[in-house]
Amino acid sequence: MVDLASMMIAGGRASTVLIVSADMPLSVVSRDAYVQTLADSGPVHPDIERPFGPTVPSLFGMVARTYMQEYGASDLDLAAAALHDRAAASLHPNAHMRAPLSLEDYRAARMVADPLRLLDCTPVSDGGAAVVVTSLDRARNAPKRPVKVLGAGFSMTHLHLSAAPSLTRFGAGVAFDRALRAAGHVRDDVDLALVYDCFTVALLINTEDLGFAPKGGAGAAFRAGVFGREGRVPINTHGGLLSHGYPGRAAGIGNLIEAVVQLRGDAGERQVPGVEVTLTHGMGGLFATHGVLLLGHP
């Protein structure tokens, strides 16, 4: 949406664009109805997947099991992603899940889709956000410090998981490469990454595909603090979808808001010092589509 708004403004078709994204799956619909909505919304193929009974968590569980077999990963790697996001969310006043989380707590959670436990899955949250995209000339007169759209990139490797060329490598890195070319930047320029993490295994795989860790190495990097607020590349300083919250179809806009807040220096005690370039990553379906937006200072 931000990329489209930017193109409309650059092409003279609009001067200012309002982007709004919100959903209320927690308070408006029942648990069963929401599970049914997820099943019907496109990730599960209606003819060659759904008749055999998979749910969205079970398909992510299949990816997680394949990832563990290919790279020797364990539940410690999955837990590292969950614990990282929860520690970050504890510093965010609007996060859904802020209570301290230990490895013992993680392992005590019930199994949802082996090897994924409850805390490997995002909570169901209500939420929403809005952003205004306008010209740089107009933004300079705004009361808030302007944030510039540097570039965006997109990729799609499949529509349904049964057609994916791999179960452990997907298109986040291709989208990132395209965004970097559009922005005239390189990977090392990124000071903060907001990575889509609907499940812990998604955070691990997407972090690796984006090039921030070698394949199979993201869990160890999270445990070592590489992606902490004071680490080499801070990731999900707001707690990600796993702990900041997952408001249904509006889930991705939380990553965008955190990027803007960090660039403005308004993140309070979770502020990363010296942020100049941020990466916002979004994902659709079962690792099917990926979008990367790079933001920075004018």
Side-chain angles (χ1 to χ4, degrees):
M1 290 189 288
V2 174
D3 186 50
L4 177 59
S6 300
M7 289 190 291
M8 292 176 68
I9 292 167
R13 297 179 60 191
S15 59
T16 301
V17 179
L18 172 65
I19 293 171
V20 180
S21 185
D23 203 356
M24 298 181 67
L26 179 62
S27 60
V28 173
V29 299
S30 69
R31 175 187 177 277
D32 290 344
Y34 189 59
V35 169
Q36 187 67 37
T37 297
L38 285 177
D40 291 340
S41 62
V44 182
H45 194 288
D47 298 322
I48 61 176
E49 294 176 359
R50 190 175 178 191
F52 299 95
T55 62
V56 171
S58 74
L59 291 173
F60 275 98
M62 182 171 68
V63 170
R65 180 59 65 194
T66 306
Y67 177 85
M68 295 167 82
Q69 290 175 346
E70 284 193 14
Y71 300 110
S74 70
D75 70 335
L76 287 175
D77 297 290
L78 298 173
L83 269 59
H84 169 90
D85 272 7
R86 182 61 63 87
S90 70
L91 301 178
H92 196 301
N94 198 41
H96 189 170
M97 311 293 286
R98 300 184 65 196
L101 179 65
S102 68
L103 178 60
E104 292 72 23
D105 296 330
Y106 168 84
R107 283 179 163 165
R110 65 179 176 85
M111 195 67 71
V112 172
D114 184 43
L116 300 179
R117 295 178 168 89
L118 182 64
L119 295 175
D120 289 302
C121 313
T122 52
V124 178
S125 315
D126 291 342
V131 297
V132 174
V133 184
T134 190
S135 67
L136 189 56
D137 287 340
R138 185 174 184 187
R140 287 195 177 101
N141 298 318
K144 289 283 189 176
R145 185 181 185 185
V147 169
K148 185 178 181 181
V149 177
L150 302 177
F154 304 89
S155 70
M156 180 174 179
T157 52
H158 58 280
L159 184 57
H160 300 97
L161 193 62
S162 55
S166 168
L167 289 181
T168 58
R169 295 175 181 267
F170 302 99
V174 174
F176 190 14
D177 287 339
R178 291 170 176 166
L180 289 170
R181 286 197 296 271
H185 281 279
V186 296
R187 269 176 171 74
D188 288 344
D189 292 336
V190 172
D191 302 306
L192 170 67
L194 292 313
V195 181
Y196 200 91
D197 57 341
C198 48
F199 293 85
T200 51
V201 67
L203 182 55
L204 298 178
I205 289 177
N206 287 328
T207 296
E208 294 166 4
D209 287 348
L210 288 166
F212 295 125
K215 293 303 295 182
F222 276 111
R223 286 195 297 275
V226 172
F227 305 127
R229 187 165 55 89
E230 298 179 357
R232 176 171 55 84
V233 183
I235 288 179
N236 291 0
T237 47
H238 61 324
L241 280 64
L242 284 165
S243 282
H244 181 260
Y246 184 86
R249 292 180 178 91
I253 202 166
N255 289 4
L256 173 62
I257 297 301
E258 180 67 8
V260 172
V261 169
Q262 287 280 349
L263 282 165
R264 286 179 172 161
D266 292 340
E269 59 181 326
R270 70 180 190 281
Q271 180 66 48
V272 176
V275 177
E276 297 289 335
V277 177
T278 64
L279 176 157
T280 299
H281 166 251
M283 184 180 87
L286 276 297
F287 297 96
T289 60
H290 297 265
V292 168
L293 182 72
L294 299 178
L295 301 176
H297 295 300

